[in-house]
Amino acid sequence: MTAVDRTGAPARGAPLRIAVAPRWRRAIGPLVKYALLSLGALLMILPFADMFIGALRSPADVFASPPRYWPQDPQWGVYARVFRELPMTTWFANSIIVTVTITAAQVATSTMAGYALAKYEFGGRAAIFRLVVGAQMFPFFLFIIPIFFILRFAPLMGGNDIAGQGGSGLLGTYAALCLPFVVTWYGVFLMRQFFVSIPDDLLEAARLDGAGEYRIFRSIMLPLVKPAIATLTLFSFVYHWNEFIWTMTVTRAAPELQTLPVGIYLLQGAFEDLDQKALQQAALAVSILPVIVVFLCLQRLFVASEFSSGVK
Amino acid sequence: MPNPARPLVAIGTALIALPALAQDGPLTVAMHYTQDQAAPLIACLDAYDADGVTASYQQISYGDYLQTVLTGRLAGQSPDIYNVYSIWAAQMVDNGVLAEPPEALAQFVRDGYGAATVDAATIDGTLWGVPSEVSVYMLVSNMALLREAGIETPPTTWDGLREAAAAVTARNDQGRIETAGFAFAESSSGAGVVHPFYALVFSQGGDVYSDDYTEAMLDTPEAQEALSRMAGLVEDDITDLSIDAYDFPAGGIGMMIMANWYESAIRDGFGDRFDEDVAVSQIPMGDDWRTLQYAFFMGVDSQSDRQEEAWVLVRHLNAPRDGGLSCMGEMLDGLGALTANAADLAAQEAPDAFTRPFVEALENDRAIGQPNVMQAAEIEGMMARTFETVIAGDAEPGPALQDLDTEVEDILFEFY
Amino acid sequence: MPRREFDPGGGGAAPWVFLAPLIAFAAVFFVIPLGFSIWLSFTRWNPLGTPSWVGLRQFEYLFTRDGDFWRSILNTFVFAFGFVALGVPLSLGLAFVFSRARGKTLWRSVYYLPQLTNIVAIAYLWQFVLDDRYGAINRLLGMVGLAGPNWLSDPAMAMVSVVLVMIWYDAGKNMLVFSAALEGVDREIYDAAALDGASPLRTLTSVTLPIIRPAFIFVTITSFITGMGFFALILAMTGGGPRGATEVTALYTYQMAFESLRMGRASAGALILFAIIGVLSILQFRALRGRE
């Protein structure tokens, strides 16, 4: 898991042939190939299709004996019910606030740190880079308990005294949802790799022109790594829109801070009756849709290089 | 040149400055009922305004309630008012979550509630709140299915139950149960197997703990027989653990041992056929049958800075309105749930055919209260796991109960 | 004018300003938590009270008395191993067909769909699909006369189900990593191999696989680490049930902490799991690298 040379992003497009095959195999090969891909694709889509169908079932469908799979009288109104009967707008707003904040923070911290690690020499650089690479290996479950209490006992926050006692600290604020994610080791690593590939001459020329260090970073360097920023944005957005365990842990008892996945999960008690299942499935559909839309819009950014990052 | 870290600092400050809970927001009442079930109560809360103190409703899923209360407390996100299942109470009291009610309210409870429910809200001699919902387990039958199988009245003995269930159970071509004669009311908390077990043990004259809670009585012949009866239903292919209790309203289950609060869900499923097709009858354990009752009570958070106002609201929600039902009473009535509030009982219309047997079980002292032992929720989780293992045929009742008994006594030993 | 050499050390305080957020974060959300976690593992602490030092007692309890803990370790291995052993070859196979197919944008979108979906939705979607009696899969199996298994209520099948769903969730991502590696291979190498008369199998083993080995190592190790520590899916899908059959260690320690409020023991459990993951990852890395 060493560095990747960003400039050597592999070309994609032309289909590969692994070897010259006999004629009959050349005819059957594509058939098998597309059959396999289609079968896989069908499996990929099946649960989503099942969800959309399920969302349309009426109580009459689920209370039939045996229950009907295909809705007899599709209940399109269920999507309006989702917004009327569930705190969907709160969840939605929280998802957006948290995801946008974290994504913005991660892009800022990753570009800054990545740039410093790539373009400056200073004592301790190697150590910090090792930390960035090494910290990625630490699984998140290790941090849940300690970070929970670090936020809980944050001095002078949320009614706490200087020793962190007396109040509830940062728990119960948006900060508890965002702060543990403002830096992403992976993002710093990714940006550092990108900045390394930018020639030093540019920096040098700018310095000669008398540009200050911060101005060079903002006006010259940042525009050059736009593709990397876009990639990081997309990854951060998807990851944090979908983040579940941490948000659930700190907002379990604070409905006004819950995001879409967390809200739907914690309201499971409301969906136990059979005639509530359709509402649950519709809510799930609504929780998934925004990410899919963002992905389809930005899909072109998903070039091969992202998936090979850290590989070679 | 501006420092690029500045926007970050700004974001950070903004996030911290946004307090999640305004100090003078409405009093929050956290219960496990869905918005739908709690609608009458929510209407009361929405209308509530006592000198500027307002109230709002928060739903916490039943399976997560205790966990949410405890972690919420760590995070300073406690609601002001809880609806506590009695088996959670000991742990909540032990962790200092609950506040003691003022004397006037304690008197209100002692004057106006049945003794068993007052006990359910009492830990070590201290009363911790106002009893709310009472639940009793009985045999609930889908008579349409039973009649189809030639059975006109619900069984009153375990053998009768087995025969009736076997007659109703129908399998599809692949051997999967399509209509189940009997089903365990499976749920995440495991109550669906644990509560019927209590009912069977009580019916045989047994008990689950010794009176002083120093000993578990899960290795007794009564316990073994109860579990063997339950496991026998699966062993003899009468039912299996894959049947979801929520299929009862859909008409896919003949009988289940279930609590009264399930009435509204069953009504939703049966519609017009409810009165005709749904019957409630005794626990099928012969003439000496007993059953389990359990209770909830409304308590106040000990860290709430508006405890006084919260107790006023609790009383408001449980006091009769112009001779009619209290707010809680109205909600429970709609659910088909029972109350121990004497004023509500007096104001209620005569119970319907579904509810009457549950009420009678309470009145005739057939329903035995669930013990408020420490760590009861954890213990019941262990029971559920053991029972399900035995019912699934993966363990023998005798040795499994022996192990369970030891484990439970390990826990009791910490506290008694 | 002579060209001055670029001076990478010429930034003055700038690099430290750029790194300030990272350093602050590393201190507060990395170093302190790890230290806190280690300290906690030597205490008994119900966080509604005060912690008390118990030395190695929590470790002792977990190692010697807590059968459920060992069972959860075993479940963790089954889950991670199943995920790697089935998932990695599957995504490699998919990558082979995908990298040689037309319409990549479409296939990619479809196979990447699960990665975009929140884990709660994934868990619930599959709960519906795998419902014993009325789920889509068992209905389909029923149509061809097969009695489907009890996917979620049978303990052994429940583990199979969560592994399969985890593979379903991750297959698209790993497929793209592999196909990126495959497409990085120069076509000339294949042409050369073909000219030399190498059989397809030989080309595969001698040319293709060595070239994608780094990707293979990367995917295998990251999948293993993910599999060992991932519990969100299991929490939402089975809650660790039925009867503890899918209770993995990360979930077990999470519940120990936030349901039973045993922070000390939960920290100890998490550290043990982390140590196991760390040691095995290094061994794995050595083994996979060593054959080169």
Side-chain angles (χ1 to χ4, degrees):
Chain A
M1 270 158 284
T2 49
V4 191
D5 178 11
R6 280 285 136 196
T7 53
R12 56 181 20 259
L16 286 175
R17 272 179 313 142
I18 282 195
V20 182
R23 181 174 287 273
W24 64 270
R25 281 202 50 195
R26 258 181 278 169
I28 287 185
L31 207 73
V32 173
K33 180 169 71 188
Y34 288 107
L36 278 176
L37 274 176
S38 308
L39 183 73
L42 220 64
L43 270 173
M44 290 291 141
I45 290 174
L46 171 83
F48 296 98
D50 186 72
M51 165 187 76
F52 283 113
I53 295 165
L56 298 177
R57 285 187 202 124
S58 65
D61 293 321
V62 298
F63 286 136
S65 194
R68 279 191 289 272
Y69 188 79
W70 299 101
Q72 210 165 46
D73 170 26
Q75 305 287 303
W76 296 102
V78 71
Y79 290 99
R81 274 183 62 209
V82 163
F83 283 90
R84 215 171 43 236
E85 293 176 24
L86 302 174
M88 211 47 140
T89 30
T90 308
W91 295 343
F92 233 108
N94 287 334
S95 277
I96 290 172
I97 292 172
V98 171
T99 309
V100 169
T101 309
I102 292 177
T103 305
Q106 289 191 343
V107 167
T109 57
S110 301
T111 47
M112 282 160 53
Y115 177 65
L117 290 173
K119 287 290 166 226
Y120 293 103
E121 245 163 45
F122 49 93
R125 183 176 81 160
I128 294 176
F129 185 64
R130 269 204 301 279
L131 170 78
V132 169
V133 175
Q136 292 183 57
M137 299 294 143
F138 286 70
F140 186 66
F141 69 81
L142 205 52
F143 295 96
I144 300 175
I145 297 171
I147 293 185
F148 185 89
F149 289 102
I150 284 171
L151 295 169
R152 165 70 180 75
F153 295 117
L156 302 177
M157 298 291 175
N160 279 352
D161 58 22
I162 189 94
Q165 302 292 327
S168 56
L170 291 172
L171 295 176
T173 68
Y174 283 109
L177 279 72
C178 301
L179 278 182
F181 299 111
V182 293
V183 170
T184 152
W185 306 114
Y186 167 76
V188 174
F189 180 77
L190 184 81
M191 297 312 303
R192 186 242 173 214
Q193 302 305 93
F194 257 85
F195 278 117
V196 163
S197 70
I198 290 174
D200 289 338
D201 305 2
L202 273 171
L203 216 165
E204 188 189 343
R207 276 199 194 146
L208 284 176
D209 287 347
E213 297 299 318
Y214 305 121
R215 172 122 179 251
I216 294 174
F217 173 68
R218 276 204 328 190
S219 313
I220 299 172
M221 291 297 162
L222 278 189
L224 287 175
V225 292
K226 263 187 193 154
I229 292 178
T231 306
L232 182 60
T233 304
L234 203 52
F235 273 111
S236 295
F237 188 90
V238 171
Y239 185 88
H240 290 284
W241 185 273
N242 294 336
E243 205 287 324
F244 168 54
I245 291 288
W246 176 256
T247 311
M248 193 258 302
T249 306
V250 290
T251 66
R252 186 177 265 289
E256 66 284 352
L257 289 176
Q258 285 162 8
T259 56
L260 276 164
V262 175
I264 294 172
Y265 173 75
L266 290 176
L267 216 55
Q268 53 191 297
F271 301 122
E272 280 179 350
D273 285 326
L274 290 181
D275 52 349
Q276 295 296 315
K277 297 290 182 197
L279 191 67
Q280 186 180 28
Q281 282 164 310
L284 293 172
V286 173
S287 79
I288 296 170
L289 232 47
V291 199
I292 293 181
V293 170
V294 169
F295 175 77
L296 290 179
C297 293
L298 300 180
Q299 156 126 262
R300 302 168 61 85
L301 298 167
F302 269 79
V303 285
S305 50
E306 275 73 84
F307 295 102
S308 58
S309 53
V311 172
K312 280 189 238 168
Chain B
M1 209 74 258
N3 183 326
R6 192 170 293 171
L8 286 182
V9 176
I11 292 174
T13 347
L15 289 173
I16 293 160
L18 276 174
L21 297 165
Q23 285 301 311
D24 49 358
L27 289 168
T28 44
V29 180
M31 299 192 170
H32 65 280
Y33 307 105
T34 64
Q35 301 273 332
D36 216 23
Q37 294 170 325
L41 181 74
I42 294 173
C44 283
L45 294 175
D46 288 345
Y48 188 74
D49 185 351
D51 302 326
V53 178
T54 57
S56 72
Y57 184 78
Q58 179 187 355
Q59 185 197 345
I60 299 175
S61 293
Y62 173 80
D64 278 349
Y65 196 97
L66 184 60
Q67 186 185 359
T68 301
V69 165
L70 295 176
T71 43
R73 189 164 177 89
L74 295 174
Q77 295 159 345
S78 299
D80 300 284
I81 295 168
Y82 298 107
N83 191 40
V84 182
Y85 178 13
S86 60
I87 70 165
W88 303 328
Q91 207 167 341
M92 286 172 74
V93 169
D94 194 52
N95 282 310
V97 176
L98 294 176
E100 272 188 59
E103 182 45 38
L105 194 75
Q107 198 55 49
F108 166 80
V109 171
R110 282 190 288 268
D111 291 347
Y113 287 83
T117 53
V118 177
D119 282 351
T122 304
I123 307 283
D124 291 339
T126 308
L127 177 73
W128 292 99
V130 178
S132 51
E133 181 185 349
V134 182
S135 294
V136 179
Y137 277 78
M138 296 288 270
L139 184 69
V140 181
S141 308
N142 178 340
M143 288 312 294
L145 291 178
L146 264 63
R147 279 192 292 262
E148 235 174 84
I151 298 152
E152 294 302 321
T153 51
T156 55
T157 62
W158 197 258
D159 287 338
L161 174 102
R162 287 173 54 97
E163 274 168 41
V168 170
T169 296
R171 293 171 183 272
N172 68 9
D173 299 341
Q174 293 92 47
R176 189 172 278 286
I177 292 182
E178 196 137 280
T179 306
F182 181 87
F184 297 103
E186 277 293 83
S187 68
S188 52
S189 63
V193 291
V194 176
H195 290 179
F197 170 84
Y198 275 104
L200 297 192
V201 171
F202 292 155
S203 293
Q204 291 161 176
D207 205 342
V208 177
Y209 304 106
S210 64
D211 288 341
D212 57 0
Y213 296 150
T214 53
E215 257 183 82
M217 298 174 67
L218 293 161
D219 52 354
T220 56
E222 289 87 354
Q224 227 184 93
E225 201 182 323
L227 187 53
S228 301
R229 284 177 195 273
M230 291 164 67
L233 294 174
V234 174
E235 198 182 341
D236 300 333
D237 288 331
I238 296 168
T239 186
D240 65 41
L241 280 169
S242 75
I243 316 292
D244 187 332
Y246 291 92
D247 285 341
F248 190 94
I253 295 173
M255 294 172 284
M256 58 198 288
I257 295 179
M258 191 54 191
N260 47 294
W261 54 261
Y262 204 42
E263 178 179 357
S264 60
I266 300 176
R267 265 186 199 282
D268 283 346
F270 278 74
D272 296 341
R273 299 180 359 260
F274 180 84
D275 290 331
E276 196 184 328
D277 286 352
V278 180
V280 177
S281 54
Q282 68 167 77
I283 300 292
M285 291 290 286
D287 291 341
D288 292 331
W289 67 274
R290 292 287 183 279
T291 188
L292 171 77
Q293 66 160 304
Y294 65 88
F296 282 81
F297 65 88
M298 288 172 78
V300 166
D301 185 86
S302 63
Q303 279 180 349
S304 165
D305 41 13
R306 288 175 297 173
Q307 285 179 29
E308 223 169 285
E309 291 88 340
W311 286 118
V312 171
L313 175 58
V314 169
R315 175 147 188 178
H316 167 80
L317 294 174
N318 289 285
R321 289 171 297 178
D322 301 328
L325 289 173
S326 70
C327 294
M328 276 303 281
E330 189 188 341
M331 182 193 83
L332 295 173
D333 203 34
L335 273 174
L338 304 176
T339 173
N341 182 333
D344 279 339
L345 285 170
Q348 257 168 359
E349 290 171 33
D352 59 25
F354 182 93
T355 309
R356 203 177 309 123
F358 291 100
V359 176
E360 283 168 3
L362 283 174
E363 288 171 354
N364 301 337
D365 292 329
R366 295 265 190 183
I368 298 170
Q370 193 174 13
N372 279 356
V373 59
M374 275 301 291
Q375 303 294 114
E378 186 182 350
I379 292 175
E380 298 221 338
M382 292 160 57
M383 287 182 179
R385 200 150 130 180
T386 303
F387 296 171
E388 283 171 20
T389 310
V390 171
I391 292 171
D394 294 340
E396 287 300 314
L401 283 171
Q402 196 74 52
D403 289 349
L404 177 67
D405 192 81
T406 313
E407 280 181 66
V408 172
E409 284 184 355
D410 272 354
I411 294 182
L412 296 179
F413 180 74
E414 285 180 57
F415 299 98
Y416 296 99
Chain C
M1 179 171 148
R3 211 181 129 87
R4 247 191 334 159
E5 274 305 301
F6 171 62
D7 169 23
W16 294 107
V17 173
F18 285 131
L19 282 170
L22 179 128
I23 291 167
F25 182 87
V28 178
F29 292 108
F30 188 73
V31 178
I32 297 179
L34 285 179
F36 187 36
S37 203
I38 291 168
W39 178 76
L40 266 185
S41 68
F42 295 107
T43 66
R44 176 169 56 230
W45 187 32
N46 169 342
L48 295 170
T50 45
S52 55
W53 184 265
V54 296
L56 286 167
R57 291 252 297 277
Q58 301 291 17
F59 291 94
E60 193 187 314
Y61 178 88
L62 289 170
F63 277 124
T64 60
R65 299 198 45 195
D66 194 349
D68 286 346
F69 179 70
W70 285 109
R71 212 155 69 116
S72 79
I73 298 258
L74 186 67
N75 287 338
T76 307
F77 275 116
V78 173
F79 181 74
F81 184 77
F83 174 49
V84 172
L86 298 176
V88 174
L90 181 79
S91 23
L92 184 57
L94 277 172
F96 273 119
V97 267
F98 169 78
S99 62
R100 291 188 285 158
R102 290 179 192 284
K104 284 210 176 60
T105 316
L106 177 70
W107 296 121
R108 186 168 51 232
S109 307
V110 170
Y111 280 91
Y112 206 64
L113 209 52
Q115 281 285 311
L116 301 175
T117 307
N118 63 74
I119 211 75
V120 174
I122 289 174
Y124 288 171
L125 257 50
W126 279 101
Q127 274 183 1
F128 285 113
V129 172
L130 295 176
D131 185 75
D132 292 339
R133 298 204 292 158
Y134 303 118
I137 299 261
N138 278 2
R139 276 177 188 265
L140 279 172
L141 290 174
M143 275 158 65
V144 295
L146 293 171
N150 290 334
W151 295 101
L152 294 171
S153 62
D154 177 82
M157 278 316 293
M159 180 53 97
V160 173
S161 300
V162 290
V163 169
L164 290 179
V165 172
M166 187 67 193
I167 291 170
W168 175 86
Y169 170 61
D170 233 36
K173 189 182 76 187
N174 291 339
M175 175 187 90
L176 291 175
V177 175
F178 280 132
S179 76
L182 282 173
E183 283 161 25
V185 181
D186 278 337
R187 286 191 60 189
E188 283 84 25
I189 299 180
Y190 289 119
D191 293 342
L195 278 177
D196 287 349
S199 71
L201 187 69
R202 169 112 205 178
T203 316
L204 180 75
T205 53
S206 320
V207 179
T208 315
L209 290 183
I211 288 174
I212 60 163
R213 163 165 283 178
F216 185 78
I217 295 175
F218 174 77
V219 169
T220 305
I221 295 183
T222 51
S223 296
F224 175 75
I225 295 178
T226 308
M228 292 291 286
F230 195 78
F231 67 100
L233 175 72
I234 295 177
L235 173 63
M237 205 169 137
T238 64
R243 310 196 284 287
T246 55
E247 182 97 40
V248 290
T249 307
L251 176 61
Y252 183 63
T253 58
Y254 181 84
Q255 288 172 335
M256 204 185 271
F258 293 101
E259 278 177 27
S260 316
L261 300 185
R262 300 187 202 274
M263 296 298 165
R265 192 178 297 164
S267 300
L271 285 171
I272 294 172
L273 176 62
F274 174 60
I276 294 174
I277 296 176
V279 168
L280 289 178
S281 305
I282 291 168
L283 288 180
Q284 230 177 346
F285 188 68
R286 291 241 168 101
L288 289 169
R289 262 290 150 92
R291 279 190 274 135
E292 265 180 79

